Amino acid sequence: MAYFLTIGGLALLGIGGEALVRAAANLANRLRVSRLLVGLLVIALATSSPELAVAIGAALGGYPDIAVGNVVGSNIANILLVLSLGVLIFPMSCCQHVKERDLVVVLAVTGFFVWLSAKRGEINAMYGGLKVVMLLLYAL
């Protein structure tokens, strides 16, 4: 039974992922914006909402280490596993200036997180708000 549920869950996950990508592409076409922008905003936020729910629940429950581990682990999995497997299946191309900008942003945000974690020892509401502002500035 467990194997059946696992296979069924993976099949539903694949079907749901395909539906999300198709809907996002249609949204980009309707709004006349790039698919990259829709991917960065709609898909990224939609797929990150479970991690957000777990992180908020863990933090409110008094388990901040779980919240941080969930966020860091999710980012590692997204960058190293999901992106890598996607590129292995279908090579991706992107403008050079977009790659350079995104690399700088990823490195800066990662460096900021490491600095907050190591040097300051805590990530409080002010730093969380600052990171939300950074996300909004990046998305614009």
Side-chain angles (χ1 to χ4, degrees), residues 1-15:
M1 185 66 173
Y3 291 119
F4 175 74
L5 291 174
T6 300
I7 291 170
L10 288 173
L12 289 173
L13 186 62
I15 292 167

Side-chain angles (χ1 to χ4, degrees), residues 29 32 43 45 59 69 71 73 84 98 119 124 128 131 134 138:
N29 290 337
R32 299 182 198 271
I43 293 180
L45 291 174
V71 170
S84 299
V98 171
K119 191 80 168 169
N124 58 28
K131 293 199 64 140
M134 291 167 64
Y138 175 73

Side-chain angles (χ1 to χ4, degrees), residues 63-131:
Y63 301 103
D65 295 346
I66 297 292
V68 172
N70 181 52
V71 170
V72 172
S74 173
N75 286 326
I76 290 170
N78 284 332
I79 292 171
L80 296 179
L81 178 64
V82 175
L83 184 61
S84 299
L85 286 176
V87 170
L88 283 173
I89 294 168
F90 187 82
M92 299 177 205
S93 63
C94 191
C95 302
Q96 186 64 27
H97 74 279
V98 171
K99 289 189 285 189
E100 290 170 355
R101 179 198 66 203
D102 290 348
L103 178 64
V104 168
V105 169
V106 167
L107 291 176
V109 170
T110 301
F112 183 55
F113 174 78
V114 169
W115 177 78
L116 285 176
S117 300
K119 191 80 168 169
R120 306 286 297 180
E122 90 173 353
I123 302 170
N124 58 28
M126 182 181 74
Y127 293 126
L130 180 60
K131 293 199 64 140

